[in-house]
Amino acid sequence: MKKIFYILITFIFAAFSMSSLANTEGEAMYSALGCASCHGVNGRSNDESIPSIAGKDVDWIVQQLEYFQSGERQNAYMNAMAPLAEGFERSIAEYLFIQDPQK
Ligand code: HEC
């Protein structure tokens, strides 16, 4: 009985630390790649020529990044930036999704 309890605790702890790690990864990559310099801290842009991306749907963000990578969607900045996010599209998108678009 005790053993099952320990296994359960270990499992819950591992799941918890993995989910927080994924979040931290998205935030770290968003900042490290310089996305924040255009789209603003937490994805809220102050510049009218640059869209805010806070709170947007995860799949939609991933899709836009893939369109910019393939050239299906054209924008000089994003065609250069999106390939840098390769492999981190989803964790960045998950980070942006949980940001408040209003604040
Ligand atoms: C040099 C400025 C700049 C940087 C750096 C930049 N972006 Fe962008 N981004 C833009 C502009 C401008 C657009 C609008 C493109 C258009 O009009 O099609 C855009 C569009 C987007 C969109 C689609 C938004 C929409 O409303 O259609 C997403 C998602 C996005 N960027 C994510 C990122 C991520 C993730 C990074 C970092 C890897 C990043 N951007 C870095 C300027 C930038």
Side-chain angles (χ1 to χ4, degrees):
M1 193 59 206
K2 226 173 178 177
K3 204 171 170 186
I4 292 172
F5 176 75
Y6 283 128
I7 291 170
L8 208 67
I9 289 294
T10 309
F11 180 78
I12 291 168
F13 186 75
F16 179 76
S17 50
M18 272 192 290
S19 69
S20 58
L21 189 79
N23 243 323
T24 315
E25 178 185 271
E27 180 173 13
M29 292 311 289
Y30 179 78
S31 142
L33 294 174
C35 314
S37 67
C38 284
H39 290 283
V41 177
N42 304 333
R44 294 182 296 274
S45 160
N46 306 313
D47 183 333
E48 274 181 24
S49 63
I50 296 166
S52 284
I53 48 179
K56 300 274 187 195
D57 182 71
V58 173
D59 288 335
W60 181 84
I61 294 176
V62 171
Q63 187 67 260
Q64 300 315 304
L65 290 171
E66 288 172 357
Y67 286 153
F68 285 124
Q69 287 165 355
S70 69
E72 197 165 323
R73 188 170 164 184
Q74 293 275 318
N75 173 267
Y77 296 130
M78 285 310 299
N79 292 142
M81 290 305 300
L84 304 179
E86 182 97 54
F88 298 101
E89 293 90 343
R90 189 153 292 273
S91 54
I92 292 174
E94 280 167 357
Y95 164 69
L96 289 167
F97 174 68
I98 58 171
Q99 303 308 306
D100 188 340
Q102 302 305 330
K103 273 191 235 150

